[in-house]
Amino acid sequence: MNDPWKNARRPSSRPPRATPLPPREGGTPPPPGRGNDELRLYGWNAVQALFAKRPQALRKLYLVESLIPRMQPVLKWCVANRVGYRVVEEGDLNKLAATTHHEGLVADVLRAPVLPLAQWLAELDEGPALALWLDGVGNPHNFGAILRSAAHFGAKALLLPASSTLALSGAAARVAEGGAESVPLVQLPDDAEAMAQLRTAGFGLAATLVEGGDDVFRASLPARLVYVMGAESEGMDRGLASQCDQQLSIPGSGAVESLNVASATAVLLAQWVSQRG
């Protein structure tokens, strides 16, 4: 593999000299996987949202030369805080991100912590609140689209089942367009305990079904609500659905079988918000 720093440049018009990144053995870039505590972000909005919300989480930054003027505040912060950055070629970023969809910007960052449900509930403000329980969602693009919609409509969290291995990836963060920094991830205990804690905190739980549920556009939705969203292909677990307070479906023309989970999430979120207006 070519050395990604071979063509790195630092024109004299740049901010003061940044902390250099140490070379890796063999001159190869670090692999896309960063372990459990680090994440490789890419895409303008994803990186900018990280810097706006958690600048202290930034560990390394890679960018193309054309972005230097727009990135001046971030680069100056990097210099002041001894965070390494490099100006590299487009092809180097393709390797670092393992995709061409990086928009000229890649960053290695610390992951935001996944909160235990009890902590999230203790820190949650009083009043109306909406959250999403992701029962089996695994596709990173759907996950990213859900995060984007959740941020847009002001959802308070994405709730991950105890058995879930879902974690934020660079692909999901790019699709989320910055939404990953606005919506925390919360780890649930087992289903029965999670439902008990949520109901004690005043939440109703609504199972979302492809068919057979009540029309969501006619249903009365509580001010504190958790939508339980099913897997992309199988839908949500029927046993779990039966334990929820409501079972809801999105009516359609029948021209297609259903909406995918990301599109359905946006519709459901919008309906809850419309009832609060």
Side-chain angles (χ1 to χ4, degrees):
M1 183 179 294
N2 293 331
D3 184 349
W5 316 130
K6 180 178 179 181
N7 298 316
R9 300 181 301 283
R10 196 182 301 280
S12 59
S13 60
R14 309 277 156 78
R17 185 177 181 86
T19 304
L21 298 177
R24 290 175 59 85
E25 182 179 354
T28 57
R34 303 297 301 168
N36 291 332
D37 61 337
E38 288 193 23
L39 170 68
R40 177 154 289 167
L41 290 182
Y42 51 88
W44 177 264
N45 287 333
V47 175
Q48 288 295 321
L50 179 283
F51 183 71
K53 295 275 189 176
R54 299 187 298 126
Q56 73 283 357
L58 185 61
R59 288 294 176 262
K60 298 171 188 174
L61 185 68
Y62 314 86
L63 71 160
V64 293
E65 186 172 6
S66 61
L67 287 185
I68 290 172
R70 296 174 67 191
M71 289 292 291
Q72 285 295 308
V74 179
L75 298 182
K76 290 177 180 177
W77 184 92
C78 286
V79 172
N81 291 274
R82 299 184 62 79
V83 173
Y85 71 87
R86 281 288 186 272
V87 181
V88 298
E89 300 294 336
E90 185 89 10
D92 300 324
L93 291 183
N94 294 345
K95 297 183 181 71
L96 289 164
T99 178
T100 59
H101 301 295
H102 48 67
E103 300 175 320
L105 198 58
V106 174
D108 289 337
V109 306
L110 291 179
R111 290 181 178 276
V114 178
L115 304 176
L117 177 61
Q119 178 183 343
W120 176 71
L121 289 172
E123 296 173 355
L124 186 64
D125 293 336
E126 297 291 332
L130 179 63
L132 298 169
W133 177 325
L134 303 186
D135 176 43
V137 175
N139 181 287
H141 291 276
N142 279 337
F143 186 32
I146 288 170
L147 276 166
R148 184 174 183 176
S149 294
H152 179 79
F153 289 108
K156 300 298 186 181
L158 298 190
L159 312 181
L160 307 180
S163 60
S164 175
T165 59
L166 189 63
L168 186 67
S169 65
R174 184 189 67 81
V175 173
E177 294 286 359
E181 290 298 324
S182 296
V183 185
L185 302 182
V186 174
Q187 190 73 58
L188 298 174
D190 65 76
D191 291 352
E193 177 61 23
M195 287 182 165
Q197 288 189 33
L198 287 165
R199 287 182 173 124
T200 298
F203 281 91
L205 291 101
T208 58
L209 307 177
V210 172
E211 58 182 13
D214 297 330
D215 184 339
V216 70
F217 301 120
R218 298 178 181 274
S220 177
L221 303 176
R224 290 168 80 86
L225 176 65
V226 174
Y227 281 125
V228 185
M229 308 302 302
E232 288 91 348
S233 55
E234 297 85 2
M236 73 168 294
D237 180 83
R238 289 288 172 157
L240 180 60
S242 68
Q243 298 175 55
C244 293
D245 307 302
Q246 293 175 283
Q247 291 78 36
L248 303 174
S249 297
I250 301 172
S253 67
V256 294
E257 181 181 2
S258 65
L259 297 172
N260 74 13
V261 66
S263 298
T265 297
V267 172
L268 293 163
L269 291 169
Q271 180 60 12
W272 181 86
V273 170
S274 72
Q275 291 193 13
R276 305 280 74 75

